Amino acid sequence: MDLGLADRTVLVTGGSSGVGLATVRALLDEGANVATCGRDADRLAKASAHLRAGTDRLWYGACDVRDADAVTDFAERAASHFGGRLDALVNNAGQSRMKPLGETTAEDWRDELELKFSGVLNPLAATLSYLRASDAAAIVNVNAVLAKQPETRLITTSAARAGILNLSKSLATELASDGIRVNSVCLGLIDTGQWTRRHAAADSGLTYEEWQAEIAADRGIALGRLGRAEEVAYAIVSLLSPRASYITGTSIDVCGGVGRGIL
């Protein structure tokens, strides 16, 4: 199916690895123009190098989403590079903080909330005028199932993720009159490289597939394995598509059936 993304321009934050990189690749496969950023310039350049082969539809640059001025500069340069337009935004930059309440400091709370909320609000502010000018504008906020079913070992991340899910719903209502759709994709455990490293460090004697299955059983993942970055990217790209023009204010779980709630 043609998703109608050819020649549209999409800005993806956190595009140097994992879900962000898979999303960039999927968008390029759909014929879209893609601007992507990450904090580590060298890592971003290495990740983007093989994607640039044979195409001028990828543009990238280093940027920390917590720096509003840097994000605005990046978005403006990206729009200029692609003829003055941005049609969609994927807010993917972020990380998890593995700490229970007893080990969490006030600074941890401030840092986590700043990262999660700046990662949505700064790119939104930087791209809003361009999105309003598009005839099929869409935003996808990459979130986690932690937003719906908190994990005490990641207490700050769970709380911040819940706030972002709430914010996304509010933005969908607020921006609907501008023709901008806002949706969320909530992830479960996704194999983005860190799990391969953990498997090697565990030295369990199990194959990677066997080790994954044990983790899946422990975490209650119905499909019995970790997800793949490209499976998440499919959901993101589908929500960006003009064919999803009547979908806004919702969230899609990409978690292998780990969700314990009914909402």
Side-chain angles (χ1 to χ4, degrees), residues 49-79:
H50 70 285
L51 296 179
R52 289 180 61 87
T55 182
D56 58 357
R57 291 185 288 105
L58 175 64
W59 188 85
Y60 64 91
C63 179
D64 187 333
V65 293
R66 292 170 294 188
D67 186 334
D69 290 338
V71 175
T72 297
D73 179 65
F74 174 77
E76 290 179 351
R77 288 187 291 122

Short mmCIF file of all heavy atoms in Angstrom, two decimals, residues 49-79:
data_model
loop_
_atom_site.label_atom_id
_atom_site.label_comp_id
_atom_site.label_asym_id
_atom_site.label_seq_id
_atom_site.Cartn_x
_atom_site.Cartn_y
_atom_site.Cartn_z
N ALA A 49 25.44 7.35 7.46
CA ALA A 49 26.31 7.24 6.28
C ALA A 49 25.77 6.27 5.25
O ALA A 49 25.67 6.59 4.06
CB ALA A 49 27.71 6.84 6.71
N HIS A 50 25.39 5.06 5.67
CA HIS A 50 24.94 4.07 4.69
C HIS A 50 23.55 4.38 4.15
O HIS A 50 23.18 3.93 3.07
CB HIS A 50 24.98 2.67 5.29
CG HIS A 50 23.95 2.43 6.34
ND1 HIS A 50 24.04 2.94 7.61
CD2 HIS A 50 22.79 1.71 6.31
CE1 HIS A 50 23.00 2.56 8.31
NE2 HIS A 50 22.22 1.82 7.55
N LEU A 51 22.76 5.17 4.91
CA LEU A 51 21.42 5.54 4.45
C LEU A 51 21.47 6.61 3.37
O LEU A 51 20.55 6.74 2.57
CB LEU A 51 20.58 6.05 5.62
CG LEU A 51 20.27 5.05 6.73
CD1 LEU A 51 19.46 5.72 7.82
CD2 LEU A 51 19.53 3.83 6.19
N ARG A 52 22.56 7.38 3.36
CA ARG A 52 22.68 8.47 2.41
C ARG A 52 23.05 7.99 1.01
O ARG A 52 22.91 8.74 0.04
CB ARG A 52 23.73 9.48 2.88
CG ARG A 52 23.29 10.29 4.09
CD ARG A 52 24.37 11.27 4.50
NE ARG A 52 24.67 12.23 3.45
CZ ARG A 52 24.02 13.37 3.27
NH1 ARG A 52 23.01 13.68 4.05
NH2 ARG A 52 24.36 14.20 2.31
N ALA A 53 23.52 6.77 0.92
CA ALA A 53 23.99 6.25 -0.37
C ALA A 53 22.87 6.30 -1.40
O ALA A 53 21.81 5.71 -1.23
CB ALA A 53 24.49 4.81 -0.21
N GLY A 54 23.10 7.03 -2.45
CA GLY A 54 22.15 7.08 -3.55
C GLY A 54 20.95 7.96 -3.31
O GLY A 54 20.00 7.93 -4.10
N THR A 55 20.92 8.74 -2.25
CA THR A 55 19.76 9.61 -2.00
C THR A 55 20.20 10.96 -1.47
O THR A 55 21.19 11.07 -0.76
CB THR A 55 18.78 8.96 -0.99
OG1 THR A 55 17.65 9.83 -0.82
CG2 THR A 55 19.44 8.76 0.37
N ASP A 56 19.44 11.97 -1.82
CA ASP A 56 19.65 13.30 -1.24
C ASP A 56 18.46 13.65 -0.35
O ASP A 56 18.24 14.81 -0.01
CB ASP A 56 19.83 14.35 -2.34
CG ASP A 56 18.64 14.41 -3.29
OD1 ASP A 56 17.70 13.61 -3.12
OD2 ASP A 56 18.65 15.27 -4.19
N ARG A 57 17.72 12.63 0.05
CA ARG A 57 16.51 12.86 0.84
C ARG A 57 16.75 12.76 2.34
O ARG A 57 15.80 12.83 3.13
CB ARG A 57 15.41 11.88 0.41
CG ARG A 57 14.87 12.18 -0.98
CD ARG A 57 13.69 11.29 -1.34
NE ARG A 57 14.08 9.91 -1.59
CZ ARG A 57 13.87 8.90 -0.74
NH1 ARG A 57 13.26 9.13 0.42
NH2 ARG A 57 14.25 7.68 -1.04
N LEU A 58 18.01 12.58 2.77
CA LEU A 58 18.33 12.52 4.19
C LEU A 58 19.25 13.67 4.56
O LEU A 58 20.27 13.90 3.91
CB LEU A 58 19.00 11.19 4.53
CG LEU A 58 19.50 11.04 5.98
CD1 LEU A 58 18.33 11.08 6.95
CD2 LEU A 58 20.29 9.75 6.14
N TRP A 59 18.89 14.39 5.62
CA TRP A 59 19.70 15.49 6.14
C TRP A 59 19.78 15.33 7.65
O TRP A 59 18.78 15.01 8.29
CB TRP A 59 19.05 16.82 5.77
CG TRP A 59 19.89 18.03 6.07
CD1 TRP A 59 20.85 18.58 5.28
CD2 TRP A 59 19.82 18.85 7.23
NE1 TRP A 59 21.39 19.68 5.89
CE2 TRP A 59 20.78 19.87 7.09
CE3 TRP A 59 19.05 18.81 8.40
CZ2 TRP A 59 20.99 20.85 8.06
CZ3 TRP A 59 19.25 19.78 9.37
CH2 TRP A 59 20.21 20.79 9.19
N TYR A 60 20.97 15.50 8.23
CA TYR A 60 21.09 15.28 9.67
C TYR A 60 22.04 16.28 10.30
O TYR A 60 22.84 16.94 9.64
CB TYR A 60 21.59 13.85 9.95
CG TYR A 60 22.98 13.56 9.44
CD1 TYR A 60 24.09 13.76 10.25
CD2 TYR A 60 23.19 13.06 8.15
CE1 TYR A 60 25.37 13.48 9.79
CE2 TYR A 60 24.45 12.77 7.68
CZ TYR A 60 25.54 12.99 8.51
OH TYR A 60 26.81 12.72 8.05
N GLY A 61 21.92 16.39 11.64
CA GLY A 61 22.78 17.30 12.38
C GLY A 61 22.69 17.03 13.87
O GLY A 61 21.68 16.51 14.36
N ALA A 62 23.74 17.38 14.59
CA ALA A 62 23.77 17.18 16.04
C ALA A 62 22.87 18.21 16.72
O ALA A 62 22.86 19.38 16.35
CB ALA A 62 25.20 17.30 16.56
N CYS A 63 22.13 17.75 17.73
CA CYS A 63 21.20 18.65 18.43
C CYS A 63 20.74 17.98 19.71
O CYS A 63 20.41 16.79 19.72
CB CYS A 63 20.01 18.95 17.53
SG CYS A 63 18.78 20.03 18.27
N ASP A 64 20.73 18.73 20.80
CA ASP A 64 20.20 18.25 22.08
C ASP A 64 18.79 18.82 22.25
O ASP A 64 18.62 20.04 22.26
CB ASP A 64 21.10 18.73 23.22
CG ASP A 64 20.73 18.13 24.57
OD1 ASP A 64 19.55 17.79 24.77
OD2 ASP A 64 21.62 18.01 25.44
N VAL A 65 17.80 17.96 22.36
CA VAL A 65 16.41 18.43 22.40
C VAL A 65 16.10 19.28 23.63
O VAL A 65 15.09 19.97 23.67
CB VAL A 65 15.41 17.25 22.32
CG1 VAL A 65 15.48 16.57 20.96
CG2 VAL A 65 15.63 16.26 23.45
N ARG A 66 16.97 19.24 24.62
CA ARG A 66 16.76 20.08 25.81
C ARG A 66 17.13 21.53 25.57
O ARG A 66 16.78 22.40 26.36
CB ARG A 66 17.57 19.52 26.99
CG ARG A 66 17.07 18.18 27.49
CD ARG A 66 18.02 17.55 28.48
NE ARG A 66 19.29 17.21 27.84
CZ ARG A 66 20.24 16.50 28.43
NH1 ARG A 66 20.07 16.07 29.66
NH2 ARG A 66 21.36 16.21 27.78
N ASP A 67 17.84 21.80 24.48
CA ASP A 67 18.28 23.16 24.14
C ASP A 67 17.31 23.74 23.11
O ASP A 67 17.39 23.43 21.92
CB ASP A 67 19.70 23.09 23.58
CG ASP A 67 20.31 24.46 23.32
OD1 ASP A 67 19.55 25.42 23.08
OD2 ASP A 67 21.55 24.56 23.30
N ALA A 68 16.41 24.59 23.57
CA ALA A 68 15.36 25.12 22.69
C ALA A 68 15.93 25.86 21.49
O ALA A 68 15.43 25.72 20.36
CB ALA A 68 14.43 26.02 23.48
N ASP A 69 16.97 26.67 21.71
CA ASP A 69 17.55 27.43 20.61
C ASP A 69 18.19 26.51 19.58
O ASP A 69 18.06 26.74 18.36
CB ASP A 69 18.60 28.41 21.14
CG ASP A 69 18.00 29.55 21.95
OD1 ASP A 69 16.80 29.84 21.76
OD2 ASP A 69 18.72 30.16 22.76
N ALA A 70 18.87 25.47 20.06
CA ALA A 70 19.50 24.52 19.14
C ALA A 70 18.46 23.77 18.32
O ALA A 70 18.64 23.52 17.12
CB ALA A 70 20.38 23.54 19.91
N VAL A 71 17.36 23.41 18.95
CA VAL A 71 16.29 22.70 18.25
C VAL A 71 15.66 23.60 17.18
O VAL A 71 15.41 23.16 16.05
CB VAL A 71 15.22 22.20 19.23
CG1 VAL A 71 14.05 21.57 18.48
CG2 VAL A 71 15.81 21.19 20.20
N THR A 72 15.43 24.85 17.54
CA THR A 72 14.85 25.80 16.57
C THR A 72 15.79 25.99 15.39
O THR A 72 15.35 25.98 14.22
CB THR A 72 14.59 27.15 17.24
OG1 THR A 72 13.61 26.97 18.26
CG2 THR A 72 14.07 28.17 16.24
N ASP A 73 17.08 26.13 15.65
CA ASP A 73 18.05 26.30 14.58
C ASP A 73 18.08 25.06 13.68
O ASP A 73 18.09 25.19 12.45
CB ASP A 73 19.44 26.55 15.18
CG ASP A 73 20.51 26.71 14.12
OD1 ASP A 73 20.45 27.70 13.36
OD2 ASP A 73 21.41 25.84 14.04
N PHE A 74 18.06 23.88 14.29
CA PHE A 74 18.07 22.65 13.51
C PHE A 74 16.83 22.55 12.63
O PHE A 74 16.92 22.22 11.44
CB PHE A 74 18.15 21.43 14.43
CG PHE A 74 18.01 20.12 13.70
CD1 PHE A 74 19.08 19.61 12.98
CD2 PHE A 74 16.81 19.43 13.71
CE1 PHE A 74 18.95 18.41 12.29
CE2 PHE A 74 16.67 18.24 13.01
CZ PHE A 74 17.75 17.73 12.31
N ALA A 75 15.66 22.82 13.19
CA ALA A 75 14.42 22.72 12.43
C ALA A 75 14.39 23.70 11.27
O ALA A 75 13.96 23.37 10.15
CB ALA A 75 13.22 22.94 13.35
N GLU A 76 14.85 24.91 11.51
CA GLU A 76 14.86 25.92 10.44
C GLU A 76 15.83 25.55 9.32
O GLU A 76 15.52 25.73 8.14
CB GLU A 76 15.20 27.28 11.03
CG GLU A 76 14.08 27.85 11.90
CD GLU A 76 14.42 29.19 12.52
OE1 GLU A 76 15.60 29.61 12.42
OE2 GLU A 76 13.51 29.82 13.09
N ARG A 77 16.98 25.03 9.70
CA ARG A 77 17.93 24.60 8.67
C ARG A 77 17.42 23.39 7.91
O ARG A 77 17.60 23.28 6.69
CB ARG A 77 19.30 24.30 9.30
CG ARG A 77 20.05 25.55 9.74
CD ARG A 77 21.47 25.26 10.20
NE ARG A 77 21.46 24.52 11.46
CZ ARG A 77 22.03 23.34 11.63
NH1 ARG A 77 22.62 22.72 10.62
NH2 ARG A 77 22.01 22.75 12.81
N ALA A 78 16.75 22.50 8.61
CA ALA A 78 16.18 21.32 7.95
C ALA A 78 15.09 21.73 6.96
O ALA A 78 15.06 21.26 5.82
CB ALA A 78 15.61 20.37 9.00
N ALA A 79 14.20 22.61 7.39
CA ALA A 79 13.14 23.08 6.50
C ALA A 79 13.72 23.77 5.27
O ALA A 79 13.27 23.56 4.14
CB ALA A 79 12.20 24.02 7.26
#
